[in-house]
Amino acid sequence: MSADAGTGAATGASGGAATGAAEAAAKAGAGTVAGREAAQTSARLGLPDAGPPRFASLDAVRSGLGDVGYLADDSISGVVYLADRLAKPVLVEGPAGTGKTQLAKSVAELAGARIIRLQCYEGLDESKALYEWNYRKQLLRIQAGGPGETEGGGAGDGDRHGPSWKELEEDIFSEEFLLTRPLLEAIRSTDPVVLLVDEVDRVELETEALLLEILSEYQVSIPELGTVRATRLPMVFLTSNNTRELSEALKRRCLYLHIDYPDLDRERAIVRSRVPGITEELADQVARIVRSLRTLELRKPPSVSETLDWARTLVILGIDTIDAAGARDTLHILLKYQTDIERAAKELLSVS
């Protein structure tokens, strides 16, 4: 290489670096401007300051979710976009297996955020959802330095070596002894976070009440430490399978989204996008058969996740085309109750 060529290459490299730095600075400046505008808009509307917007537009949400493998319609994209701009949680209801949990995961992936998940169940309480104190560590601390010890080993009026009860109490109820659970972890996080409260309809009303302060104020009250407020508001998704009616107080604090079974075209597109190697014809047949099964009076209709499992099974078995008669042999992938399998098999037999 000649000296001129070497100089040109070096100049090009430095010019490229300078251009890259300029583009990065421009993006950072644009982000700052967008953040200021979003803060001003939030202040005018009386909304909490959620920081710079995560998504540029509704179309960006829809296309971005598609890029991470989640096919969202206008309703889903609109609620996600508004949840970011209004700094409000999203309550997602619908049948099991329709993509409610996956929506929160996909939004986290799209936003470059860490997902924190609280899986709800009957009996879930504050110590597992919010925080608890490390009682064993507190006991060890008390035993290591009891209050009012004197040189003679008693608690008399001599020179005291150990801390007073007040000092000890302030010590053992400090950050060092606090065990954070998912809700508090999401509130305290300084990184981008998506909080997923999964199957919230499984908890009792008393536990549901714990969520109200977090959902409305994005803060947690700890009697020994005071109020912990979020420095960076998380996006919050609550999912429900409608096993019980949620309280009006909870619903009032959330945007509402219902995700039902998809229509034929959307389910076919979901199968095509989530099952590598499946043909267009087989994806169409799978979607049509599943849709016909959902019209039956089944104990548990096949969900979208079970549709995908069935489609993957057919691809693994090397099946390129399937009809109603051929579907009977693999119904146990779609349906999970014997009575449903028998009813579906009889219906498919009558059709074939």
mmCIF file with all atom_site columns, all heavy atoms in Angstrom, residues 181-208:
data_model
loop_
_atom_site.group_PDB
_atom_site.id
_atom_site.type_symbol
_atom_site.label_atom_id
_atom_site.label_alt_id
_atom_site.label_comp_id
_atom_site.label_asym_id
_atom_site.label_entity_id
_atom_site.label_seq_id
_atom_site.pdbx_PDB_ins_code
_atom_site.Cartn_x
_atom_site.Cartn_y
_atom_site.Cartn_z
_atom_site.occupancy
_atom_site.B_iso_or_equiv
_atom_site.pdbx_formal_charge
_atom_site.auth_seq_id
_atom_site.auth_comp_id
_atom_site.auth_asym_id
_atom_site.auth_atom_id
_atom_site.pdbx_PDB_model_num
ATOM 1   N N   . ARG A 1 181 ? -38.474 -8.639  47.114 1.00 0.00 ? 181 ARG A N   1
ATOM 2   C CA  . ARG A 1 181 ? -39.231 -9.557  46.267 1.00 0.00 ? 181 ARG A CA  1
ATOM 3   C C   . ARG A 1 181 ? -39.589 -8.824  44.969 1.00 0.00 ? 181 ARG A C   1
ATOM 4   O O   . ARG A 1 181 ? -39.291 -7.635  44.810 1.00 0.00 ? 181 ARG A O   1
ATOM 5   C CB  . ARG A 1 181 ? -40.476 -10.036 47.003 1.00 0.00 ? 181 ARG A CB  1
ATOM 6   C CG  . ARG A 1 181 ? -40.186 -10.764 48.314 1.00 0.00 ? 181 ARG A CG  1
ATOM 7   C CD  . ARG A 1 181 ? -39.222 -11.907 48.142 1.00 0.00 ? 181 ARG A CD  1
ATOM 8   N NE  . ARG A 1 181 ? -39.030 -12.675 49.382 1.00 0.00 ? 181 ARG A NE  1
ATOM 9   C CZ  . ARG A 1 181 ? -37.958 -13.411 49.634 1.00 0.00 ? 181 ARG A CZ  1
ATOM 10  N NH1 . ARG A 1 181 ? -36.983 -13.457 48.743 1.00 0.00 ? 181 ARG A NH1 1
ATOM 11  N NH2 . ARG A 1 181 ? -37.856 -14.087 50.750 1.00 0.00 ? 181 ARG A NH2 1
ATOM 12  N N   . PRO A 1 182 ? -40.231 -9.496  43.999 1.00 0.00 ? 182 PRO A N   1
ATOM 13  C CA  . PRO A 1 182 ? -40.395 -8.898  42.664 1.00 0.00 ? 182 PRO A CA  1
ATOM 14  C C   . PRO A 1 182 ? -40.990 -7.498  42.623 1.00 0.00 ? 182 PRO A C   1
ATOM 15  O O   . PRO A 1 182 ? -40.513 -6.646  41.867 1.00 0.00 ? 182 PRO A O   1
ATOM 16  C CB  . PRO A 1 182 ? -41.302 -9.920  41.957 1.00 0.00 ? 182 PRO A CB  1
ATOM 17  C CG  . PRO A 1 182 ? -40.948 -11.226 42.577 1.00 0.00 ? 182 PRO A CG  1
ATOM 18  C CD  . PRO A 1 182 ? -40.671 -10.912 44.013 1.00 0.00 ? 182 PRO A CD  1
ATOM 19  N N   . LEU A 1 183 ? -42.024 -7.216  43.407 1.00 0.00 ? 183 LEU A N   1
ATOM 20  C CA  . LEU A 1 183 ? -42.650 -5.896  43.329 1.00 0.00 ? 183 LEU A CA  1
ATOM 21  C C   . LEU A 1 183 ? -41.707 -4.789  43.773 1.00 0.00 ? 183 LEU A C   1
ATOM 22  O O   . LEU A 1 183 ? -41.574 -3.766  43.108 1.00 0.00 ? 183 LEU A O   1
ATOM 23  C CB  . LEU A 1 183 ? -43.927 -5.870  44.186 1.00 0.00 ? 183 LEU A CB  1
ATOM 24  C CG  . LEU A 1 183 ? -45.046 -6.821  43.760 1.00 0.00 ? 183 LEU A CG  1
ATOM 25  C CD1 . LEU A 1 183 ? -46.250 -6.673  44.686 1.00 0.00 ? 183 LEU A CD1 1
ATOM 26  C CD2 . LEU A 1 183 ? -45.456 -6.575  42.313 1.00 0.00 ? 183 LEU A CD2 1
ATOM 27  N N   . LEU A 1 184 ? -41.043 -5.000  44.901 1.00 0.00 ? 184 LEU A N   1
ATOM 28  C CA  . LEU A 1 184 ? -40.101 -3.990  45.394 1.00 0.00 ? 184 LEU A CA  1
ATOM 29  C C   . LEU A 1 184 ? -38.883 -3.894  44.486 1.00 0.00 ? 184 LEU A C   1
ATOM 30  O O   . LEU A 1 184 ? -38.356 -2.802  44.249 1.00 0.00 ? 184 LEU A O   1
ATOM 31  C CB  . LEU A 1 184 ? -39.678 -4.317  46.827 1.00 0.00 ? 184 LEU A CB  1
ATOM 32  C CG  . LEU A 1 184 ? -38.707 -3.337  47.490 1.00 0.00 ? 184 LEU A CG  1
ATOM 33  C CD1 . LEU A 1 184 ? -39.281 -1.927  47.505 1.00 0.00 ? 184 LEU A CD1 1
ATOM 34  C CD2 . LEU A 1 184 ? -38.360 -3.790  48.906 1.00 0.00 ? 184 LEU A CD2 1
ATOM 35  N N   . GLU A 1 185 ? -38.453 -5.021  43.948 1.00 0.00 ? 185 GLU A N   1
ATOM 36  C CA  . GLU A 1 185 ? -37.300 -5.016  43.049 1.00 0.00 ? 185 GLU A CA  1
ATOM 37  C C   . GLU A 1 185 ? -37.578 -4.169  41.808 1.00 0.00 ? 185 GLU A C   1
ATOM 38  O O   . GLU A 1 185 ? -36.713 -3.419  41.345 1.00 0.00 ? 185 GLU A O   1
ATOM 39  C CB  . GLU A 1 185 ? -36.962 -6.456  42.633 1.00 0.00 ? 185 GLU A CB  1
ATOM 40  C CG  . GLU A 1 185 ? -35.730 -6.571  41.756 1.00 0.00 ? 185 GLU A CG  1
ATOM 41  C CD  . GLU A 1 185 ? -35.432 -7.997  41.343 1.00 0.00 ? 185 GLU A CD  1
ATOM 42  O OE1 . GLU A 1 185 ? -36.133 -8.917  41.799 1.00 0.00 ? 185 GLU A OE1 1
ATOM 43  O OE2 . GLU A 1 185 ? -34.500 -8.193  40.537 1.00 0.00 ? 185 GLU A OE2 1
ATOM 44  N N   . ALA A 1 186 ? -38.804 -4.285  41.276 1.00 0.00 ? 186 ALA A N   1
ATOM 45  C CA  . ALA A 1 186 ? -39.157 -3.494  40.095 1.00 0.00 ? 186 ALA A CA  1
ATOM 46  C C   . ALA A 1 186 ? -39.210 -2.004  40.415 1.00 0.00 ? 186 ALA A C   1
ATOM 47  O O   . ALA A 1 186 ? -38.785 -1.171  39.613 1.00 0.00 ? 186 ALA A O   1
ATOM 48  C CB  . ALA A 1 186 ? -40.502 -3.968  39.546 1.00 0.00 ? 186 ALA A CB  1
ATOM 49  N N   . ILE A 1 187 ? -39.725 -1.652  41.590 1.00 0.00 ? 187 ILE A N   1
ATOM 50  C CA  . ILE A 1 187 ? -39.818 -0.246  41.981 1.00 0.00 ? 187 ILE A CA  1
ATOM 51  C C   . ILE A 1 187 ? -38.434 0.363   42.199 1.00 0.00 ? 187 ILE A C   1
ATOM 52  O O   . ILE A 1 187 ? -38.174 1.516   41.829 1.00 0.00 ? 187 ILE A O   1
ATOM 53  C CB  . ILE A 1 187 ? -40.676 -0.110  43.257 1.00 0.00 ? 187 ILE A CB  1
ATOM 54  C CG1 . ILE A 1 187 ? -42.134 -0.436  42.960 1.00 0.00 ? 187 ILE A CG1 1
ATOM 55  C CG2 . ILE A 1 187 ? -40.559 1.286   43.862 1.00 0.00 ? 187 ILE A CG2 1
ATOM 56  C CD1 . ILE A 1 187 ? -42.790 0.507   41.977 1.00 0.00 ? 187 ILE A CD1 1
ATOM 57  N N   . ARG A 1 188 ? -37.528 -0.396  42.767 1.00 0.00 ? 188 ARG A N   1
ATOM 58  C CA  . ARG A 1 188 ? -36.203 0.141   43.112 1.00 0.00 ? 188 ARG A CA  1
ATOM 59  C C   . ARG A 1 188 ? -35.221 0.121   41.953 1.00 0.00 ? 188 ARG A C   1
ATOM 60  O O   . ARG A 1 188 ? -34.150 0.736   42.027 1.00 0.00 ? 188 ARG A O   1
ATOM 61  C CB  . ARG A 1 188 ? -35.613 -0.647  44.290 1.00 0.00 ? 188 ARG A CB  1
ATOM 62  C CG  . ARG A 1 188 ? -36.436 -0.565  45.558 1.00 0.00 ? 188 ARG A CG  1
ATOM 63  C CD  . ARG A 1 188 ? -35.834 -1.403  46.670 1.00 0.00 ? 188 ARG A CD  1
ATOM 64  N NE  . ARG A 1 188 ? -34.591 -0.841  47.156 1.00 0.00 ? 188 ARG A NE  1
ATOM 65  C CZ  . ARG A 1 188 ? -33.854 -1.390  48.111 1.00 0.00 ? 188 ARG A CZ  1
ATOM 66  N NH1 . ARG A 1 188 ? -34.229 -2.520  48.678 1.00 0.00 ? 188 ARG A NH1 1
ATOM 67  N NH2 . ARG A 1 188 ? -32.744 -0.819  48.507 1.00 0.00 ? 188 ARG A NH2 1
ATOM 68  N N   . SER A 1 189 ? -35.545 -0.573  40.886 1.00 0.00 ? 189 SER A N   1
ATOM 69  C CA  . SER A 1 189 ? -34.595 -0.734  39.796 1.00 0.00 ? 189 SER A CA  1
ATOM 70  C C   . SER A 1 189 ? -34.309 0.599   39.103 1.00 0.00 ? 189 SER A C   1
ATOM 71  O O   . SER A 1 189 ? -35.225 1.385   38.834 1.00 0.00 ? 189 SER A O   1
ATOM 72  C CB  . SER A 1 189 ? -35.137 -1.741  38.771 1.00 0.00 ? 189 SER A CB  1
ATOM 73  O OG  . SER A 1 189 ? -34.265 -1.847  37.665 1.00 0.00 ? 189 SER A OG  1
ATOM 74  N N   . THR A 1 190 ? -33.051 0.833   38.813 1.00 0.00 ? 190 THR A N   1
ATOM 75  C CA  . THR A 1 190 ? -32.651 2.024   38.064 1.00 0.00 ? 190 THR A CA  1
ATOM 76  C C   . THR A 1 190 ? -32.497 1.708   36.582 1.00 0.00 ? 190 THR A C   1
ATOM 77  O O   . THR A 1 190 ? -32.257 2.610   35.780 1.00 0.00 ? 190 THR A O   1
ATOM 78  C CB  . THR A 1 190 ? -31.332 2.588   38.605 1.00 0.00 ? 190 THR A CB  1
ATOM 79  O OG1 . THR A 1 190 ? -30.322 1.557   38.559 1.00 0.00 ? 190 THR A OG1 1
ATOM 80  C CG2 . THR A 1 190 ? -31.494 3.056   40.046 1.00 0.00 ? 190 THR A CG2 1
ATOM 81  N N   . ASP A 1 191 ? -32.608 0.439   36.225 1.00 0.00 ? 191 ASP A N   1
ATOM 82  C CA  . ASP A 1 191 ? -32.531 0.018   34.829 1.00 0.00 ? 191 ASP A CA  1
ATOM 83  C C   . ASP A 1 191 ? -33.940 -0.110  34.251 1.00 0.00 ? 191 ASP A C   1
ATOM 84  O O   . ASP A 1 191 ? -34.916 -0.227  34.990 1.00 0.00 ? 191 ASP A O   1
ATOM 85  C CB  . ASP A 1 191 ? -31.804 -1.329  34.713 1.00 0.00 ? 191 ASP A CB  1
ATOM 86  C CG  . ASP A 1 191 ? -30.372 -1.247  35.215 1.00 0.00 ? 191 ASP A CG  1
ATOM 87  O OD1 . ASP A 1 191 ? -29.733 -0.212  34.960 1.00 0.00 ? 191 ASP A OD1 1
ATOM 88  O OD2 . ASP A 1 191 ? -29.909 -2.205  35.858 1.00 0.00 ? 191 ASP A OD2 1
ATOM 89  N N   . PRO A 1 192 ? -34.076 -0.097  32.923 1.00 0.00 ? 192 PRO A N   1
ATOM 90  C CA  . PRO A 1 192 ? -35.405 -0.301  32.318 1.00 0.00 ? 192 PRO A CA  1
ATOM 91  C C   . PRO A 1 192 ? -35.977 -1.656  32.729 1.00 0.00 ? 192 PRO A C   1
ATOM 92  O O   . PRO A 1 192 ? -35.296 -2.683  32.646 1.00 0.00 ? 192 PRO A O   1
ATOM 93  C CB  . PRO A 1 192 ? -35.117 -0.249  30.812 1.00 0.00 ? 192 PRO A CB  1
ATOM 94  C CG  . PRO A 1 192 ? -33.821 0.467   30.677 1.00 0.00 ? 192 PRO A CG  1
ATOM 95  C CD  . PRO A 1 192 ? -33.033 0.139   31.909 1.00 0.00 ? 192 PRO A CD  1
ATOM 96  N N   . VAL A 1 193 ? -37.212 -1.656  33.164 1.00 0.00 ? 193 VAL A N   1
ATOM 97  C CA  . VAL A 1 193 ? -37.833 -2.865  33.697 1.00 0.00 ? 193 VAL A CA  1
ATOM 98  C C   . VAL A 1 193 ? -39.255 -2.992  33.172 1.00 0.00 ? 193 VAL A C   1
ATOM 99  O O   . VAL A 1 193 ? -39.980 -1.996  33.047 1.00 0.00 ? 193 VAL A O   1
ATOM 100 C CB  . VAL A 1 193 ? -37.851 -2.838  35.247 1.00 0.00 ? 193 VAL A CB  1
ATOM 101 C CG1 . VAL A 1 193 ? -38.856 -3.823  35.812 1.00 0.00 ? 193 VAL A CG1 1
ATOM 102 C CG2 . VAL A 1 193 ? -36.473 -3.163  35.791 1.00 0.00 ? 193 VAL A CG2 1
ATOM 103 N N   . VAL A 1 194 ? -39.653 -4.216  32.867 1.00 0.00 ? 194 VAL A N   1
ATOM 104 C CA  . VAL A 1 194 ? -41.050 -4.558  32.624 1.00 0.00 ? 194 VAL A CA  1
ATOM 105 C C   . VAL A 1 194 ? -41.466 -5.514  33.739 1.00 0.00 ? 194 VAL A C   1
ATOM 106 O O   . VAL A 1 194 ? -40.864 -6.568  33.919 1.00 0.00 ? 194 VAL A O   1
ATOM 107 C CB  . VAL A 1 194 ? -41.256 -5.222  31.252 1.00 0.00 ? 194 VAL A CB  1
ATOM 108 C CG1 . VAL A 1 194 ? -42.679 -5.796  31.133 1.00 0.00 ? 194 VAL A CG1 1
ATOM 109 C CG2 . VAL A 1 194 ? -41.004 -4.222  30.126 1.00 0.00 ? 194 VAL A CG2 1
ATOM 110 N N   . LEU A 1 195 ? -42.461 -5.118  34.519 1.00 0.00 ? 195 LEU A N   1
ATOM 111 C CA  . LEU A 1 195 ? -42.961 -5.939  35.615 1.00 0.00 ? 195 LEU A CA  1
ATOM 112 C C   . LEU A 1 195 ? -44.167 -6.732  35.125 1.00 0.00 ? 195 LEU A C   1
ATOM 113 O O   . LEU A 1 195 ? -45.153 -6.159  34.665 1.00 0.00 ? 195 LEU A O   1
ATOM 114 C CB  . LEU A 1 195 ? -43.359 -5.062  36.812 1.00 0.00 ? 195 LEU A CB  1
ATOM 115 C CG  . LEU A 1 195 ? -44.067 -5.778  37.974 1.00 0.00 ? 195 LEU A CG  1
ATOM 116 C CD1 . LEU A 1 195 ? -43.167 -6.833  38.601 1.00 0.00 ? 195 LEU A CD1 1
ATOM 117 C CD2 . LEU A 1 195 ? -44.528 -4.771  39.020 1.00 0.00 ? 195 LEU A CD2 1
ATOM 118 N N   . LEU A 1 196 ? -44.075 -8.054  35.234 1.00 0.00 ? 196 LEU A N   1
ATOM 119 C CA  . LEU A 1 196 ? -45.159 -8.942  34.836 1.00 0.00 ? 196 LEU A CA  1
ATOM 120 C C   . LEU A 1 196 ? -45.758 -9.582  36.079 1.00 0.00 ? 196 LEU A C   1
ATOM 121 O O   . LEU A 1 196 ? -45.087 -10.341 36.773 1.00 0.00 ? 196 LEU A O   1
ATOM 122 C CB  . LEU A 1 196 ? -44.644 -10.022 33.875 1.00 0.00 ? 196 LEU A CB  1
ATOM 123 C CG  . LEU A 1 196 ? -45.592 -11.192 33.578 1.00 0.00 ? 196 LEU A CG  1
ATOM 124 C CD1 . LEU A 1 196 ? -46.876 -10.696 32.926 1.00 0.00 ? 196 LEU A CD1 1
ATOM 125 C CD2 . LEU A 1 196 ? -44.899 -12.228 32.697 1.00 0.00 ? 196 LEU A CD2 1
ATOM 126 N N   . VAL A 1 197 ? -47.010 -9.250  36.377 1.00 0.00 ? 197 VAL A N   1
ATOM 127 C CA  . VAL A 1 197 ? -47.756 -9.880  37.476 1.00 0.00 ? 197 VAL A CA  1
ATOM 128 C C   . VAL A 1 197 ? -48.680 -10.895 36.813 1.00 0.00 ? 197 VAL A C   1
ATOM 129 O O   . VAL A 1 197 ? -49.749 -10.544 36.307 1.00 0.00 ? 197 VAL A O   1
ATOM 130 C CB  . VAL A 1 197 ? -48.545 -8.844  38.296 1.00 0.00 ? 197 VAL A CB  1
ATOM 131 C CG1 . VAL A 1 197 ? -49.229 -9.514  39.479 1.00 0.00 ? 197 VAL A CG1 1
ATOM 132 C CG2 . VAL A 1 197 ? -47.616 -7.737  38.789 1.00 0.00 ? 197 VAL A CG2 1
ATOM 133 N N   . ASP A 1 198 ? -48.248 -12.136 36.792 1.00 0.00 ? 198 ASP A N   1
ATOM 134 C CA  . ASP A 1 198 ? -48.900 -13.170 35.993 1.00 0.00 ? 198 ASP A CA  1
ATOM 135 C C   . ASP A 1 198 ? -49.995 -13.888 36.773 1.00 0.00 ? 198 ASP A C   1
ATOM 136 O O   . ASP A 1 198 ? -49.781 -14.311 37.907 1.00 0.00 ? 198 ASP A O   1
ATOM 137 C CB  . ASP A 1 198 ? -47.853 -14.181 35.510 1.00 0.00 ? 198 ASP A CB  1
ATOM 138 C CG  . ASP A 1 198 ? -48.204 -14.787 34.175 1.00 0.00 ? 198 ASP A CG  1
ATOM 139 O OD1 . ASP A 1 198 ? -49.158 -14.311 33.532 1.00 0.00 ? 198 ASP A OD1 1
ATOM 140 O OD2 . ASP A 1 198 ? -47.530 -15.748 33.756 1.00 0.00 ? 198 ASP A OD2 1
ATOM 141 N N   . GLU A 1 199 ? -51.166 -14.017 36.133 1.00 0.00 ? 199 GLU A N   1
ATOM 142 C CA  . GLU A 1 199 ? -52.331 -14.709 36.700 1.00 0.00 ? 199 GLU A CA  1
ATOM 143 C C   . GLU A 1 199 ? -52.745 -14.091 38.036 1.00 0.00 ? 199 GLU A C   1
ATOM 144 O O   . GLU A 1 199 ? -52.879 -14.760 39.047 1.00 0.00 ? 199 GLU A O   1
ATOM 145 C CB  . GLU A 1 199 ? -52.044 -16.207 36.847 1.00 0.00 ? 199 GLU A CB  1
ATOM 146 C CG  . GLU A 1 199 ? -51.769 -16.893 35.512 1.00 0.00 ? 199 GLU A CG  1
ATOM 147 C CD  . GLU A 1 199 ? -51.552 -18.388 35.642 1.00 0.00 ? 199 GLU A CD  1
ATOM 148 O OE1 . GLU A 1 199 ? -50.986 -18.835 36.658 1.00 0.00 ? 199 GLU A OE1 1
ATOM 149 O OE2 . GLU A 1 199 ? -51.967 -19.109 34.720 1.00 0.00 ? 199 GLU A OE2 1
ATOM 150 N N   . VAL A 1 200 ? -52.962 -12.788 38.000 1.00 0.00 ? 200 VAL A N   1
ATOM 151 C CA  . VAL A 1 200 ? -53.314 -12.043 39.211 1.00 0.00 ? 200 VAL A CA  1
ATOM 152 C C   . VAL A 1 200 ? -54.661 -12.498 39.772 1.00 0.00 ? 200 VAL A C   1
ATOM 153 O O   . VAL A 1 200 ? -54.942 -12.303 40.962 1.00 0.00 ? 200 VAL A O   1
ATOM 154 C CB  . VAL A 1 200 ? -53.315 -10.530 38.909 1.00 0.00 ? 200 VAL A CB  1
ATOM 155 C CG1 . VAL A 1 200 ? -54.456 -10.164 37.978 1.00 0.00 ? 200 VAL A CG1 1
ATOM 156 C CG2 . VAL A 1 200 ? -53.389 -9.717  40.188 1.00 0.00 ? 200 VAL A CG2 1
ATOM 157 N N   . ASP A 1 201 ? -55.490 -13.121 38.952 1.00 0.00 ? 201 ASP A N   1
ATOM 158 C CA  . ASP A 1 201 ? -56.789 -13.595 39.433 1.00 0.00 ? 201 ASP A CA  1
ATOM 159 C C   . ASP A 1 201 ? -56.683 -14.790 40.364 1.00 0.00 ? 201 ASP A C   1
ATOM 160 O O   . ASP A 1 201 ? -57.695 -15.215 40.943 1.00 0.00 ? 201 ASP A O   1
ATOM 161 C CB  . ASP A 1 201 ? -57.695 -13.951 38.242 1.00 0.00 ? 201 ASP A CB  1
ATOM 162 C CG  . ASP A 1 201 ? -57.028 -14.902 37.259 1.00 0.00 ? 201 ASP A CG  1
ATOM 163 O OD1 . ASP A 1 201 ? -55.804 -14.766 37.032 1.00 0.00 ? 201 ASP A OD1 1
ATOM 164 O OD2 . ASP A 1 201 ? -57.714 -15.777 36.715 1.00 0.00 ? 201 ASP A OD2 1
ATOM 165 N N   . ARG A 1 202 ? -55.501 -15.331 40.543 1.00 0.00 ? 202 ARG A N   1
ATOM 166 C CA  . ARG A 1 202 ? -55.322 -16.473 41.444 1.00 0.00 ? 202 ARG A CA  1
ATOM 167 C C   . ARG A 1 202 ? -55.125 -16.059 42.912 1.00 0.00 ? 202 ARG A C   1
ATOM 168 O O   . ARG A 1 202 ? -55.232 -16.894 43.803 1.00 0.00 ? 202 ARG A O   1
ATOM 169 C CB  . ARG A 1 202 ? -54.125 -17.321 41.006 1.00 0.00 ? 202 ARG A CB  1
ATOM 170 C CG  . ARG A 1 202 ? -54.342 -18.066 39.702 1.00 0.00 ? 202 ARG A CG  1
ATOM 171 C CD  . ARG A 1 202 ? -53.141 -18.943 39.367 1.00 0.00 ? 202 ARG A CD  1
ATOM 172 N NE  . ARG A 1 202 ? -53.371 -19.718 38.167 1.00 0.00 ? 202 ARG A NE  1
ATOM 173 C CZ  . ARG A 1 202 ? -53.952 -20.910 38.139 1.00 0.00 ? 202 ARG A CZ  1
ATOM 174 N NH1 . ARG A 1 202 ? -54.379 -21.453 39.267 1.00 0.00 ? 202 ARG A NH1 1
ATOM 175 N NH2 . ARG A 1 202 ? -54.106 -21.556 37.003 1.00 0.00 ? 202 ARG A NH2 1
ATOM 176 N N   . VAL A 1 203 ? -54.813 -14.802 43.174 1.00 0.00 ? 203 VAL A N   1
ATOM 177 C CA  . VAL A 1 203 ? -54.549 -14.367 44.543 1.00 0.00 ? 203 VAL A CA  1
ATOM 178 C C   . VAL A 1 203 ? -55.844 -13.915 45.216 1.00 0.00 ? 203 VAL A C   1
ATOM 179 O O   . VAL A 1 203 ? -56.838 -13.611 44.553 1.00 0.00 ? 203 VAL A O   1
ATOM 180 C CB  . VAL A 1 203 ? -53.508 -13.229 44.592 1.00 0.00 ? 203 VAL A CB  1
ATOM 181 C CG1 . VAL A 1 203 ? -52.211 -13.665 43.940 1.00 0.00 ? 203 VAL A CG1 1
ATOM 182 C CG2 . VAL A 1 203 ? -54.052 -11.977 43.910 1.00 0.00 ? 203 VAL A CG2 1
ATOM 183 N N   . GLU A 1 204 ? -55.797 -13.851 46.556 1.00 0.00 ? 204 GLU A N   1
ATOM 184 C CA  . GLU A 1 204 ? -56.952 -13.395 47.305 1.00 0.00 ? 204 GLU A CA  1
ATOM 185 C C   . GLU A 1 204 ? -57.061 -11.865 47.223 1.00 0.00 ? 204 GLU A C   1
ATOM 186 O O   . GLU A 1 204 ? -56.123 -11.173 46.841 1.00 0.00 ? 204 GLU A O   1
ATOM 187 C CB  . GLU A 1 204 ? -56.848 -13.825 48.776 1.00 0.00 ? 204 GLU A CB  1
ATOM 188 C CG  . GLU A 1 204 ? -56.924 -15.331 49.003 1.00 0.00 ? 204 GLU A CG  1
ATOM 189 C CD  . GLU A 1 204 ? -55.597 -16.044 48.782 1.00 0.00 ? 204 GLU A CD  1
ATOM 190 O OE1 . GLU A 1 204 ? -54.614 -15.362 48.411 1.00 0.00 ? 204 GLU A OE1 1
ATOM 191 O OE2 . GLU A 1 204 ? -55.534 -17.264 48.985 1.00 0.00 ? 204 GLU A OE2 1
ATOM 192 N N   . LEU A 1 205 ? -58.224 -11.361 47.632 1.00 0.00 ? 205 LEU A N   1
ATOM 193 C CA  . LEU A 1 205 ? -58.450 -9.917  47.592 1.00 0.00 ? 205 LEU A CA  1
ATOM 194 C C   . LEU A 1 205 ? -57.466 -9.167  48.470 1.00 0.00 ? 205 LEU A C   1
ATOM 195 O O   . LEU A 1 205 ? -57.047 -8.050  48.147 1.00 0.00 ? 205 LEU A O   1
ATOM 196 C CB  . LEU A 1 205 ? -59.882 -9.600  48.031 1.00 0.00 ? 205 LEU A CB  1
ATOM 197 C CG  . LEU A 1 205 ? -60.985 -9.884  47.004 1.00 0.00 ? 205 LEU A CG  1
ATOM 198 C CD1 . LEU A 1 205 ? -62.353 -9.712  47.636 1.00 0.00 ? 205 LEU A CD1 1
ATOM 199 C CD2 . LEU A 1 205 ? -60.830 -8.982  45.789 1.00 0.00 ? 205 LEU A CD2 1
ATOM 200 N N   . GLU A 1 206 ? -57.069 -9.764  49.606 1.00 0.00 ? 206 GLU A N   1
ATOM 201 C CA  . GLU A 1 206 ? -56.133 -9.098  50.510 1.00 0.00 ? 206 GLU A CA  1
ATOM 202 C C   . GLU A 1 206 ? -54.791 -8.871  49.818 1.00 0.00 ? 206 GLU A C   1
ATOM 203 O O   . GLU A 1 206 ? -54.169 -7.809  49.953 1.00 0.00 ? 206 GLU A O   1
ATOM 204 C CB  . GLU A 1 206 ? -55.929 -9.920  51.794 1.00 0.00 ? 206 GLU A CB  1
ATOM 205 C CG  . GLU A 1 206 ? -57.157 -10.030 52.673 1.00 0.00 ? 206 GLU A CG  1
ATOM 206 C CD  . GLU A 1 206 ? -58.155 -11.063 52.168 1.00 0.00 ? 206 GLU A CD  1
ATOM 207 O OE1 . GLU A 1 206 ? -57.835 -11.763 51.176 1.00 0.00 ? 206 GLU A OE1 1
ATOM 208 O OE2 . GLU A 1 206 ? -59.246 -11.164 52.756 1.00 0.00 ? 206 GLU A OE2 1
ATOM 209 N N   . THR A 1 207 ? -54.324 -9.881  49.080 1.00 0.00 ? 207 THR A N   1
ATOM 210 C CA  . THR A 1 207 ? -53.054 -9.737  48.363 1.00 0.00 ? 207 THR A CA  1
ATOM 211 C C   . THR A 1 207 ? -53.204 -8.791  47.181 1.00 0.00 ? 207 THR A C   1
ATOM 212 O O   . THR A 1 207 ? -52.293 -8.018  46.857 1.00 0.00 ? 207 THR A O   1
ATOM 213 C CB  . THR A 1 207 ? -52.577 -11.114 47.871 1.00 0.00 ? 207 THR A CB  1
ATOM 214 O OG1 . THR A 1 207 ? -52.512 -12.017 48.980 1.00 0.00 ? 207 THR A OG1 1
ATOM 215 C CG2 . THR A 1 207 ? -51.197 -11.016 47.232 1.00 0.00 ? 207 THR A CG2 1
ATOM 216 N N   . GLU A 1 208 ? -54.342 -8.829  46.531 1.00 0.00 ? 208 GLU A N   1
ATOM 217 C CA  . GLU A 1 208 ? -54.606 -7.909  45.424 1.00 0.00 ? 208 GLU A CA  1
ATOM 218 C C   . GLU A 1 208 ? -54.506 -6.463  45.894 1.00 0.00 ? 208 GLU A C   1
ATOM 219 O O   . GLU A 1 208 ? -54.037 -5.585  45.152 1.00 0.00 ? 208 GLU A O   1
ATOM 220 C CB  . GLU A 1 208 ? -55.993 -8.187  44.853 1.00 0.00 ? 208 GLU A CB  1
ATOM 221 C CG  . GLU A 1 208 ? -56.346 -7.364  43.639 1.00 0.00 ? 208 GLU A CG  1
ATOM 222 C CD  . GLU A 1 208 ? -57.758 -7.651  43.163 1.00 0.00 ? 208 GLU A CD  1
ATOM 223 O OE1 . GLU A 1 208 ? -58.123 -8.836  43.060 1.00 0.00 ? 208 GLU A OE1 1
ATOM 224 O OE2 . GLU A 1 208 ? -58.497 -6.678  42.900 1.00 0.00 ? 208 GLU A OE2 1
#
